[in-house]
Amino acid sequence: MGKRIFLLFYLPFLWLSGMYSQEKVSLNGYISDMQTVYRVPDLWLWENSLHNRLNLQVYPFDWLSGTLQVRNRVITGNTIRKFPGYADGLDGDQGWMDLTFVTDGNLGDSAGYVLTSAVDRIWLQFSFGNLEVKAGRQRINWGQTLVWNPNDIFNNYSYFEVDYPERPGSDALRIQYYTGNASAIELAAKIDSANRITAAGYFRFNMYGFDVQILGGLYQEEDLFLGTGWSGNLGSTAFRGEMSYFRDLDNFKDTTGYFMASAGFDYTFSNSLWLQVEGLYSAFAKDLDVYSFLQFYAGNLDVKNLSFTEWSFFANLSYPLTPLINGGFAVIYYPQWKGIYLGPSFDLSLNSNFDLSLIVQHFTAEFDNPSGGSSRENNTFGFLKFKWSF
């Protein structure tokens, strides 16, 4: 069913892209290569990902636009042999339309490579004055904070993901009506791979210089959801926040629900040093051992598993060392684990089309042992990425 629905979107793009001039059609994208080294308990792992992205946009009429965007990767490394079922893990499309295609040469995980292609954007948008209607796989971003987004019930993402700047999308219908320069009403509904519906309404307005949003609806046919968020400035300091409340529909009378909140500040000094701090509280946090932590780190993320622990605190410094080199250093503290994340990074802009990035992610924390007691574990991930945009 999902692939048949995909064809209904895909065929109009072939027709539209062939019917109109280059002024009505644009194509861009990038090619990147990322080398990854992992140091996890008792294992050294490596992986290389050759990544190509193609973005096709069409604008046949003033009232109609659309896009088709494809993410292609060739992955090699000993991670594929060390973890049976690695290729199957990449084939888990979370959308209603199954638009992820994986091959490993029919050799199983012993092939040592995986080819994967995923259509993560395919939508048509109809615009009539202040009204916009968008249907298809799209990104619905209702988040306000920069690290954790309790308001993003449609397609949340992991801060630790370094090779997917576009972020995932949802198979959804979205209706937006702009009531003013800084105010809008939205209705959105998506269906996922388990045929669960998430539907919500959203109202955004400006008050005392702050963009404020109020939202609520149904999350995965399981929870009633209510939320609010804001972003603005206190003097020269940016202040952002989000709060969300979930109430289980099956146990509506027997539970008090679950609350989540994030808030943060960021400030740019006169010498271009950027400071960012943010905190998260999540009543959905789960107790993890070191192995389930690794699965959690690499797995699909939704709003209910934004963080490893109930409380999380984040700080980040970023500074342009030269006009071409930017350096950053991020820290996250997980009190329940006595855990620390350290994330130094360097970005080199070779010119307008070429970029080189070096990123390190180091986790250290105390995990419970299955046999009793606890032990401190260290996990380190290193990434070297080269990217050419066209």
Side-chain angles (χ1 to χ4, degrees), residues 14 66 73 75 99-100 108 137 144 147 173 180 243 252 267 274 280 287 290 298 303 329 347 353 382 390:
L14 293 180
R73 289 180 294 163
I75 302 171
L99 305 183
T100 300
R137 181 161 292 184
Q144 294 283 357
V147 180
L173 175 66
M243 294 186 291
F252 197 84
Y267 180 80
W274 184 57
L280 172 73
D287 293 329
V290 63
V303 71
F329 196 93
D347 296 293
N353 295 329
F390 57 86

Side-chain angles (χ1 to χ4, degrees), residues 60-329:
F61 310 107
D62 291 339
W63 53 269
L64 176 63
S65 60
T67 192
L68 172 63
Q69 301 181 24
V70 184
R71 184 187 189 207
N72 305 299
R73 289 180 294 163
V74 180
I75 302 171
T76 58
N78 67 353
T79 53
I80 299 171
R81 294 190 178 95
K82 291 287 186 180
F83 297 102
Y86 182 99
D88 294 335
L90 297 175
D91 200 19
D93 197 307
Q94 299 299 299
W96 183 54
M97 299 183 288
D98 184 3
L99 305 183
T100 300
F101 312 93
V102 174
T103 179
D104 55 9
N106 295 319
L107 298 177
D109 294 320
S110 62
Y113 72 91
V114 175
L115 285 71
T116 174
S117 181
V119 178
D120 63 0
R121 300 288 190 279
I122 180 167
W123 51 256
L124 294 172
Q125 178 171 293
F126 305 87
S127 303
F128 305 99
N130 292 335
L131 177 67
E132 292 181 353
V133 179
K134 184 183 291 186
R137 181 161 292 184
Q138 57 189 285
R139 177 149 182 81
I140 302 175
N141 183 13
W142 289 352
Q144 294 283 357
T145 46
L146 303 179
V147 180
W148 300 290
N149 297 122
N151 283 178
D152 193 352
I153 61 172
F154 287 97
N155 34 221
N156 228 299
Y157 66 91
S158 172
Y159 169 79
F160 305 113
E161 172 60 63
V162 299
D163 198 31
Y164 195 13
E166 296 78 18
R167 311 305 187 191
S170 297
D171 294 338
L173 175 66
R174 185 182 191 184
I175 301 172
Q176 299 172 279
Y177 183 76
Y178 297 94
T179 57
N181 292 331
S183 60
I185 298 172
E186 297 186 25
L187 297 173
K190 80 162 186 177
I191 184 168
D192 63 18
S193 57
N195 292 322
R196 298 173 300 186
I197 293 174
T198 295
Y202 169 96
F203 178 44
R204 183 180 74 247
F205 57 95
N206 188 273
M207 183 173 64
Y208 301 116
F210 276 77
D211 292 324
V212 180
Q213 62 192 38
I214 299 172
L215 54 156
L218 178 69
Y219 179 71
Q220 294 184 350
E221 300 184 21
E222 297 175 349
D223 299 274
L224 175 68
F225 160 79
L226 297 172
T228 186
W230 66 89
S231 64
N233 291 294
L234 299 174
S236 56
T237 302
F239 176 42
R240 317 167 193 270
E242 301 176 34
M243 294 186 291
S244 296
Y245 173 77
F246 296 81
R247 189 73 173 264
D248 189 332
L249 293 175
D250 290 337
N251 301 286
F252 197 84
K253 296 181 179 179
D254 302 327
T255 62
T256 57
Y258 293 88
F259 178 72
M260 303 175 63
S262 64
F265 299 88
D266 54 274
Y267 180 80
T268 303
F269 293 87
S270 58
N271 63 353
S272 298
L273 175 68
W274 184 57
L275 171 65
Q276 176 195 359
V277 294
E278 189 170 317
L280 172 73
Y281 169 79
S282 174
F284 289 109
K286 300 177 181 178
D287 293 329
L288 303 176
D289 58 29
V290 63
Y291 298 104
S292 57
F293 159 76
L294 294 173
Q295 294 174 348
F296 188 88
Y297 168 83
N300 295 309
L301 194 68
D302 64 38
V303 71
K304 288 186 177 182
N305 60 5
L306 285 183
S307 182
F308 312 122
T309 57
E310 188 176 21
W311 290 94
S312 305
F313 300 98
F314 172 91
N316 180 54
L317 286 172
S318 178
Y319 182 72
L321 302 171
T322 74
L324 299 180
I325 302 175
N326 190 81
F329 196 93

